[in-house]
Amino acid sequence: MEDVRATSAWVASRSSHVLVDSAGIEKVVSTIESIPKVEWDFEGIHYFDNGPLTVQYLFVLDALNFCFWPDEDLNYDDLASGLKAALQNDKSAFDADRLQKYTGPQLRELLRWPRPLPLEDERVRLLHEVGIELERNFEGKASNLVQCCGKSAVNLVALVARHFPGFRDHTVYKGRQVFLYKRAQIFAADLWGAFGGQGYGEFKDIGSLTIMADYIVPAVLRQLGVLKYSPALTSTIESSGEIGPGTEEEVELRACSVHAVEKMRELISKKSGRQVLSVELDLWLWAAGVQCTSLQHHRTLSIYY
């Protein structure tokens, strides 16, 4: 995760379209007495049975957790609750051999979604990838993958990125490799949240995770005055224009969000005298964002978030 922190800071120091506003960070932190505790499943939309099937569910969920915005009626809740219902209806729905065979229409049926999903072919491809690799190296079970990490979230992220190409969320910015690993990190964070830091969710280094750079958190940070956008970027976002994956604007939006929240975390920790986790900040910011219907976020077609 130090690669994520270091390369995000490097982007922030050279950013042309997004500014991390230090004064804005200090102002926000001065108003925070404590980080509001947001329960991991505050909406009651996730499957949980305290066992290996929950791990399998979360891995499938996080393999598909990206790019909802092209369908204005679709959001993360639909995915999480749809997969939950599918698993409650058929406990073998996410067996590795079955994951390898799903088609687009079958995935829609699983989620009870009436029309093609955004990036549907990619979603199906990633399901197949998960099924094939789980079967090849982990006896078909995501719980075995988790047990290989030695209670280290950093090891888990590295293991996921090594074995599952669809989780390799990195790009090149001004000639340098930049690492973000949103969905690999969120798998570790989801395990920690779901299992309350115990069992499959016990990680000795949960504080190593950064925020999960998506399209909600940058918009919330902008709303808070922590991020400032160039006039051109502001115009593109406010007119609902698309921003290409891997462009300077897109990389800056994500990397500057990671760096800004790291700076917020450091200040809050110093002010409160206790360790504040980036995953806690991420859940707080994301929950605030999804409950704000007027939030204007950037639009990028990407499998990474």
Side-chain angles (χ1 to χ4, degrees):
M1 296 304 94
E2 289 313 306
D3 283 343
V4 176
R5 286 183 171 83
T7 58
S8 292
W10 191 87
V11 171
S13 70
R14 291 158 178 80
S15 180
S16 310
H17 310 277
V18 182
L19 171 73
V20 178
D21 190 326
S22 297
I25 291 173
E26 289 177 10
K27 185 176 179 182
V28 170
V29 169
S30 71
T31 66
I32 297 173
E33 292 303 320
S34 63
I35 299 302
K37 283 289 181 188
V38 180
E39 290 298 320
W40 174 76
D41 191 24
F42 67 97
E43 295 169 298
I45 56 174
H46 297 94
Y47 178 87
F48 185 74
D49 69 353
N50 204 34
L53 199 53
T54 295
V55 182
Q56 196 86 352
Y57 162 81
L58 290 174
F59 198 46
V60 171
L61 172 66
D62 290 328
L64 300 174
N65 181 8
F66 59 86
C67 204
F68 303 104
W69 62 263
D71 187 327
E72 62 181 20
D73 296 321
L74 181 69
N75 58 44
Y76 171 79
D77 292 9
D78 297 305
L79 177 66
S81 58
L83 293 176
K84 174 184 178 180
L87 198 53
Q88 288 173 328
N89 185 53
D90 179 0
K91 291 291 193 283
S92 68
F94 303 150
D95 284 2
D97 61 331
R98 291 186 62 182
L99 292 176
Q100 299 171 44
K101 297 170 185 170
Y102 280 113
T103 64
Q106 286 172 333
L107 177 57
R108 271 178 257 155
E109 185 180 348
L110 201 70
L111 297 173
R112 298 175 185 171
W113 197 250
R115 55 188 171 272
L117 296 156
L119 298 180
E120 183 171 276
D121 289 347
E122 287 292 273
R123 286 184 152 90
V124 169
R125 181 181 68 80
L126 293 171
L127 269 188
H128 294 176
E129 178 186 282
V130 164
I132 290 166
E133 190 60 19
L134 284 179
E135 186 170 75
R136 180 190 293 144
N137 282 299
F138 302 100
E139 298 177 358
K141 298 185 184 302
S143 55
N144 290 337
L145 167 69
V146 174
Q147 287 178 323
C148 288
C149 77
K151 299 188 187 305
S152 165
V154 171
N155 288 350
L156 181 59
V157 171
L159 201 60
V160 168
R162 185 182 313 136
H163 284 276
F164 301 89
F167 283 84
R168 292 175 193 162
D169 181 9
H170 48 77
T171 187
V172 175
Y173 175 84
K174 295 184 178 178
R176 180 164 173 175
Q177 199 85 25
V178 176
F179 302 93
L180 295 159
Y181 293 135
K182 184 254 183 180
R183 291 195 288 105
Q185 288 202 77
I186 210 169
F187 178 50
D190 280 345
L191 288 165
W192 177 75
F195 288 92
Q198 303 296 314
Y200 291 112
E202 183 183 350
F203 299 110
K204 61 193 177 191
D205 56 357
I206 193 67
S208 297
L209 297 182
T210 69
I211 64 153
M212 298 25 148
D214 61 0
Y215 47 86
I216 299 296
V217 171
V220 175
L221 292 174
R222 180 192 178 208
Q223 202 172 55
L224 291 172
V226 167
L227 294 184
K228 297 283 200 310
Y229 296 170
S230 69
L233 180 57
T234 298
S235 175
T236 299
I237 291 172
E238 291 183 351
S239 64
S240 300
E242 282 190 34
I243 296 171
T247 58
E248 286 191 6
E249 292 89 340
E250 191 250 355
V251 178
E252 289 176 13
L253 282 161
R254 301 184 71 206
C256 288
S257 295
V258 172
H259 184 63
V261 176
E262 285 302 302
K263 293 296 161 194
M264 285 176 65
R265 181 185 61 76
E266 289 168 9
L267 268 181
I268 296 167
S269 295
K270 187 176 178 182
K271 178 184 171 185
S272 66
R274 73 171 189 86
Q275 184 192 29
V276 176
L277 301 176
S278 293
V279 290
E280 294 176 313
L281 284 169
D282 182 82
L283 186 54
W284 168 54
L285 291 165
W286 183 82
V290 294
Q291 292 172 56
C292 177
T293 54
S294 62
L295 193 72
Q296 287 186 297
H297 59 74
H298 73 280
R299 294 167 176 250
T300 297
L301 286 170
S302 172
I303 67 166
Y304 296 120
Y305 64 101

